[in-house]
Amino acid sequence: MGREAEVDVKPAATSATWDGAARLVIPDVLRGVAIVAMLVAHASAFVPVKPAAAGFLTGNLSEMASPLFALVMGMSAQLVWNRGPRVPVTLLQQTIRGLFLIALGVWMASWGSWVAIVLGHLGVLLIVGAPLLLARTPWVIGVAAVVLVVGDPLVRLARGWAWAYTAPSPLHDLLDWVIMSPNYRLVNLLPFFLVGGLMIRHGLRRDRLLAVIACLAPSAYAVWGITEYLDLLRAQSGDYTDTLRDVGLVLATYVVVVLAATARGGAGRLWSTVFVPFVACGQVALSLYLLHVGLIALWNNAYGRPLENVWLGWLVIVPGMVLIGWLWWRFVGTGPVEWVMGWITGRRKPLLRSR
C-alpha cells in the first residue's frame, strides 16, 4: 500500500493503553460514542412517554450508531493492514472475526429482546470490506462512491422481491444482511467502512480536508431536514435522504472528536478527561453490546415492552452500562467478549490489566 497508508496523527490524539502500547484515541472515542448512542436508542423503549425533543435526539442517535460503527471498523481494519503485509494471515483473521460476529449475532437474535441485532451485518461488512482496503486509494474511493450511488435503487429493487421474504436459511439471512433488512444493510454500511479506512490513510488531523468535511456534514443533514420538514420526500431506511442524514451525523461526530482530540493546553486536558468514559466503552464495546441486549431480553421476556416510563430500566441500560464499561476497563482490562475474539483469531490479549 506504500506511503499513502501511513497514519499521520498529532500526539494529542494518542494515548498509552494499559499495556503501555501507543494507541490512537480517536477510533476508541468514536467507537465509544457509537455504543453509547446505541445504548440510548435501545433504552428509549423504557421511556415511551417523552418530549418530542427527546424523541428527536434519540432518533438521531439511533440513526448515527450503526454507520459510525462501520466507520470505526474501517479505521481498525486499515490500522491492521498498516502493521504489516501478511495478507493471507490477516485476511484469515478478519474473516474469522467476521464469522464470529455473525455467529454471535444469530445467537443474540434468538434471545427475545426488542433490539434489532447489528452484529451479523457488521460481520459480513468486515468480511467484504477488509479485502477491499488492499486496493489503492483511488480504487477504494471509486468503490465507495459506486456503492453509495447504487445503494438506494438496489434497496428499492430488493423490497419488491417477494420470493426473498420466504427464502430458506441461510439464503434469507444472507439477503437480509446484504440488502433486505429494514434496519441495517451491507450496501449502506460499506461506504462508511471504506471512508473510515481512507481517513486512516489520510491521517486523523486538522487540515483542509477536515474543514471540507466540517462543511459537508451540516449540508448533508440540512438536505434531509428540509425534505422532512417540507414533506417533499419521506425518508425510508436505505434511501438517499436517509443516507444523507447518516452522512451528516457521522461526519459531524468525526469532526468534533478530531478537533477535541487534537486540542492543546487546557482545552486538551479537559477533552482528555471527557474522553475517558468513551475510550473505556469503546475498548469494551462488544461486551457492553452483548450485556445490555441480554438485560433487555430478560426484561422483555418477563414483562414485555413497557407502556409507561420505567426509569430504572433506562438508568440500568445507559449510565449503568457506561459505568460498568469504565469499571471493567479501569480495573480489569480487556472486555470478555473481546478477549474471546482475540483468542479465536490468534491475536490474543491479556484479559487482566498489568499492575
Side-chain angles (χ1 to χ4, degrees), residues 28-38 61 64-65 68 253 257 278 282:
D28 280 339
V29 174
L30 291 172
R31 192 183 300 106
V33 171
I35 187 63
V36 171
M38 199 162 279
L61 289 174
M64 179 186 70
L68 187 56
T253 304
V257 170
F278 292 103

Side-chain angles (χ1 to χ4, degrees), residues 285-306:
L286 189 54
S287 297
L288 286 182
Y289 185 84
L290 184 142
L291 177 60
H292 94 279
V293 172
L295 293 176
I296 289 174
L298 289 174
W299 175 280
N300 194 41
N301 290 327
Y303 305 106
R305 199 168 180 133

Side-chain angles (χ1 to χ4, degrees), residues 2 6 34 64 67 74 107 253 294 333 337:
E6 295 178 1
M64 179 186 70
W107 179 45
T253 304
V337 183

Side-chain angles (χ1 to χ4, degrees), residues 60 63-64 67 148-149 151-152 156 185 188 191-192 213 215-228 233 235-253:
N60 278 276
E63 290 293 328
M64 179 186 70
L148 189 66
V149 170
D152 181 321
R156 293 178 184 273
R185 291 157 300 275
N188 297 122
F192 291 96
I213 295 174
C215 295
L216 177 62
S219 300
Y221 189 85
V223 171
W224 166 81
I226 291 171
T227 58
E228 285 286 304
L233 181 65
Q236 298 186 62
S237 180
D239 66 16
Y240 287 135
T241 51
D242 179 68
T243 300
L244 282 173
R245 174 170 56 176
D246 293 348
V247 168
L249 291 170
V250 169
L251 293 186
T253 304

Side-chain angles (χ1 to χ4, degrees), residues 247-269:
V247 168
L249 291 170
V250 169
L251 293 186
T253 304
Y254 171 78
V255 170
V256 171
V257 170
V258 171
L259 290 176
T262 55
R264 301 292 188 178
R269 290 190 293 272

